[in-house]
Amino acid sequence: MRSIKELNLEGKRVLVRVDFNVPLDEHQNITDDTRIREVLPTLRYILDHKGRLVIMSHMGRPKGKRVEELSLAPVAKRLGRLLEQEVDLAAGCVGPEVEDRVGKLGEAEMILLENLRFYPEEEKNDPQFAKKLANLADVYINDAFAVSHRAHASVEGVARNCAEAAAGFLLIKELKYFKEALENPRRPLVAIIGGAKVSSKFGALENLLSRVDKLIIGGAMANSFLKSMGFDLGRSKVEDELVEAAGELRQRAIREGIKFYLPVDVVVAREVDPKAETKIVPVQEIPADWMALDIGPATSRLFAEAIYNAKTIVWNGPMGMFEIDAFSRGTVSMVYSVADSYALSIVGGGDTDVAIHSTGQTDRISYISTGGGAFLQLLEGKPLSGVEALGGTEIVE
Ligand code: 3PG
């Protein structure tokens, strides 16, 4: 793929796909603008090089219909404040009115198109819709790493329909860190995988087995592994249909000489409630009507020791139900262990990202990816549609 730096942007209509799918509160206030801030270098670069900037993004999952609460209006305001320049929001993404407004853009002026997912054609990667988007531009830039795993019209189809297409600075940075961590890592390479469901991470675990030196598993997904070892998990969440596969994966890891770490103690409660009574118990002693909701302190120490000598760390998924204080300590302690290490640390996935922000340790992590699903897809070893449409991960200069 080409980099934006290789293109002449002066006077050109530059259509940029970004991922402004930012969290909003009930009053449509943006609660975290990281995804907006992360693409500012690309947007500023286009404006500085006298491009006529057309920005497009999705927000949420409106399922092909106009949903006022998912308008990009709050994003237009925040972006304007960050760029210190008013950002016009178009009423839609295609059609005569949008074409007219884009046609009238002067050099270094910009417009933000309304939520792409108000159109059912977007997620269907409809060729006509992709062509209409492409017709708005002379140059297409993908700087939307977080949605690049989706073969949607604005990510995939448009890249194939525009005369010139290239990657923005954020997309390049994300892929560069990922390569550094997983393709040519300094060793030991430690992967920490957590979260609720082993089913959603199984592909990633399988792929990681051929790359990592140590694999640490936490969160509710660890339960399926513990069950495969014969532990009684009480009422803990277990994906029964995956217990056998989890056992096999663990055996394979051991056979291949990968150090495999599971919780040795857990925080249990009878219900998922901030006020619930909690206990810390070894995994051998989970009471029948209790459930494991976080890793325990002995596990936190074990995991901290396991990553102590790491040279590269990749982390995806929390260690427990960290959104509830009583079950957040395992994840918080993992944040500090990763932050304290001297390793190159790459963290991805919405929840993990929130945990790091809430502890104020962001600056002590080498790189926090803006991607959730896209990051996971890379962990699975699968290419991203949006990157493939640009010609693949190798930067052509
Ligand atoms: C994300 O938040 O991971 C991206 O914006 C993609 O959103 P999606 O999962 O709704 O496609």
Side-chain angles (χ1 to χ4, degrees), residues 135-296:
N135 284 342
L136 294 174
D138 304 303
V139 175
Y140 168 75
I141 303 293
N142 179 348
D143 211 21
F145 169 75
V147 73
S148 285
H149 58 310
R150 305 284 188 212
H152 293 171
S154 65
V155 179
E156 210 272 343
V158 71
R160 302 199 187 272
N161 278 286
C162 227
E164 289 197 287
F169 297 118
L170 176 61
L171 180 58
I172 291 172
K173 182 166 76 171
E174 294 266 9
L175 296 173
K176 178 187 145 273
Y177 270 110
F178 194 85
K179 272 193 181 176
E180 204 174 327
L182 279 166
E183 283 176 21
N184 198 12
R186 293 179 61 222
R187 293 187 182 273
L189 163 59
V190 181
I192 307 159
I193 305 293
K197 287 196 195 156
V198 70
S199 49
S200 61
K201 309 256 166 106
F202 210 82
L205 291 174
E206 283 185 307
N207 181 48
L208 286 167
L209 279 193
S210 57
R211 297 172 187 271
V212 301
D213 302 294
K214 304 189 192 190
L215 188 53
I216 295 177
I217 308 229
M221 59 183 278
N223 298 343
S224 300
F225 288 90
L226 292 169
K227 180 118 190 230
S228 77
M229 295 163 74
F231 292 112
D232 189 345
L233 277 287
R235 286 198 300 112
S236 308
K237 189 181 159 79
V238 174
E239 286 169 275
D240 285 317
E241 63 293 357
L242 280 172
V243 167
E244 201 182 321
E248 280 162 15
L249 192 130
R250 184 177 145 270
Q251 293 295 344
R252 194 184 132 201
I254 293 166
R255 268 199 313 278
E256 292 179 13
I258 294 158
K259 312 266 187 305
F260 196 87
Y261 298 84
L262 285 168
V264 291
D265 66 342
V266 283
V267 179
V268 292
R270 280 200 199 84
E271 59 267 314
V272 183
D273 186 324
K275 296 199 191 85
E277 183 194 347
T278 61
K279 300 200 268 197
I280 294 162
V281 294
V283 290
Q284 291 82 350
E285 296 175 28
I286 299 173
D289 56 342
W290 293 59
M291 28 186 175
L293 294 167
D294 193 11
I295 57 171

Side-chain angles (χ1 to χ4, degrees), residues 17 19-22 35 58-61 117 123 146-150 152 370-374:
R17 175 54 155 115
D19 189 329
F20 284 162
N21 187 20
V22 290
R35 283 184 171 178
H58 73 284
M59 164 80 92
R61 292 176 175 168
R117 290 192 185 169
E123 291 181 65
V147 73
S148 285
H149 58 310
R150 305 284 188 212
H152 293 171
T370 55

Side-chain angles (χ1 to χ4, degrees), residues 25-100:
D25 67 13
E26 64 277 26
H27 306 293
Q28 274 78 53
N29 294 312
I30 296 170
T31 53
D32 177 359
D33 64 4
T34 309
R35 283 184 171 178
I36 305 179
R37 288 175 189 272
E38 287 289 331
V39 294
L40 293 178
T42 295
L43 304 183
R44 286 203 178 104
Y45 182 88
I46 296 165
L47 295 170
D48 289 349
H49 287 77
K50 301 190 184 146
R52 301 165 200 264
L53 177 56
V54 184
I55 310 168
M56 58 178 175
S57 175
H58 73 284
M59 164 80 92
R61 292 176 175 168
K63 300 200 172 90
K65 286 194 295 276
R66 199 179 169 93
V67 175
E68 281 323 312
E69 296 74 43
L70 293 175
S71 163
L72 286 171
V75 170
K77 264 201 196 140
R78 180 66 59 96
L79 179 62
R81 211 176 304 146
L82 293 169
L83 287 172
E84 296 172 346
Q85 180 172 345
E86 193 176 341
V87 176
D88 262 351
L89 178 66
C93 298
V94 290
E97 196 195 317
V98 173
E99 283 162 26
D100 184 54

